Amino acid sequence: MRIKALVGAVGSAATMAAVLVLPAGPAQAAPSMPCRATATVAHPRTNQTEPVYIATLPAARVQGYAQYRTTTTAKAGTANVRGHLYLDWRISHATPGYRVRVVVKVAKGAARGTCYAYFTPTS
């Protein structure tokens, strides 16, 4: 009897079932922002610097991660008033012929973006 009284106080059983089954709604995703990364030298040699050009929003925070065969190297900076930035990686003893992926993450306020660049060191 107590269940019937509770259902009667709140509403019909069908209404309660509908309330219990409805999803809460989609989660709010962070706004995306533009991000473009380009390795300026496709095949850098040992002891050469590899500049990676990044284009995004002005004053955006930029983090880059070069994923070599045995290690990952991080760099960070802030885009200028035009949204441009170069992150430089020194190619010392990178594995020749191994394609290095550079993951670039950009952020400004709640907006976020990710882009990639690639280069392959030579000896």
Side-chain angles (χ1 to χ4, degrees), residues 56-109:
T56 186
L57 294 178
R61 292 184 322 273
V62 179
Q63 293 179 316
Y65 305 92
Q67 299 172 333
Y68 297 93
R69 187 175 65 81
T70 60
T71 188
T72 298
T73 304
K75 302 280 181 176
T78 302
N80 66 16
V81 296
R82 291 184 172 188
H84 303 172
L85 175 69
Y86 281 93
L87 293 178
D88 296 331
W89 275 272
R90 181 88 174 142
I91 309 302
S92 57
H93 298 289
T95 305
Y98 180 83
R99 186 178 187 208
V100 177
R101 179 170 87 157
V102 179
V103 179
V104 177
K105 297 185 179 229
V106 295
K108 186 172 183 180

Side-chain angles (χ1 to χ4, degrees), residues 23-79:
Q28 292 291 351
S32 66
M33 62 186 284
C35 179
R36 185 172 43 111
T38 306
T40 57
V41 179
H43 302 285
R45 293 184 178 275
T46 300
N47 294 321
Q48 184 176 355
T49 298
E50 172 58 59
V52 174
Y53 168 76
I54 295 109
T56 186
L57 294 178
R61 292 184 322 273
V62 179
Q63 293 179 316
Y65 305 92
Q67 299 172 333
Y68 297 93
R69 187 175 65 81
T70 60
T71 188
T72 298
T73 304
K75 302 280 181 176
T78 302

